[in-house]
Structures are given as structure tokens and as C-alpha cells.
Amino acid sequence: MIAALGWAGSALCVWSLTQKDPGRFRALNLGACIALIIVDTAIAAWSMAVLNLVVAGINIHSLIGLRKAARLASANADVPVEITLDDLDPAEARALVGV
């Protein structure tokens, strides 16, 4: 059972590395860390357990940051933003006006 959990955690870790979406990457990687922490403590591989615990903490911190950023972006989605030509560099301003 422990060996199967170790293989599943390792596969989940590899799969997480193929993800393009940061939230999905962090969530899958967190799941892999949890599985590997269980395996590492069961076989008394303490250095690996600590490593996976630290990586799990980093994943949790990143997921919280991603969630806050998404909430902030959705809260500000309806806020109109005024941009004047003075806010742009001259090349951007010319491109917008068609000169």
C-alpha cells in the first residue's frame, strides 16, 4: 500500500509539472506532496518528509496568493480605467491615432 502511494505521489508530481495553469500546477503538486509526506513518514525518510512539507507550504502559500489575485481582479473588472494619450509613449500614441 505504501509503495503504491509513493508511485502515485511521484506520478502526480510529474503530471503537475506538465500543467500550464499555475493554480492547477500548485494544486496537483500539493496533492503529490501530501502523498509523499505520508510515504516518507511511513518509511522514516525524514529529510524527504521535511522537503515535501516545505514544498507543500510553498504550494499552499502560492495557491492563497493566486486566489487573492483572482478575487482582486474580479472585484476590479467593472472599474473603468481612463487612459489618455499622455499615458502612452509617443510610438503607442501614434499607432492608436493612426499617424
Side-chain angles (χ1 to χ4, degrees):
M1 176 72 173
I2 291 297
L5 186 59
W7 281 107
S10 294
L12 191 56
C13 181
V14 170
W15 186 34
S16 74
L17 295 173
T18 67
Q19 304 304 306
K20 292 181 181 176
D21 177 68
R24 187 169 170 87
F25 161 70
R26 292 294 179 183
L28 291 172
N29 198 268
L30 177 60
C33 286
I34 291 169
L36 293 172
I37 289 169
I38 294 169
V39 172
D40 295 339
T41 55
I43 64 172
W46 302 115
S47 61
M48 292 304 297
V50 170
L51 171 67
N52 282 305
L53 190 62
V54 169
V55 174
I58 292 169
N59 284 322
I60 291 168
H61 177 74
S62 294
L63 283 168
I64 291 169
L66 287 169
R67 179 170 286 209
K68 284 181 182 176
R71 218 177 303 132
L72 183 62
S74 68
N76 291 333
D78 297 331
V79 176
V81 177
E82 280 190 37
I83 297 176
T84 65
L85 291 178
D86 295 333
D87 296 329
L88 305 173
D89 68 58
E92 289 173 322
R94 281 192 298 275
L96 281 175
V97 219
V99 179

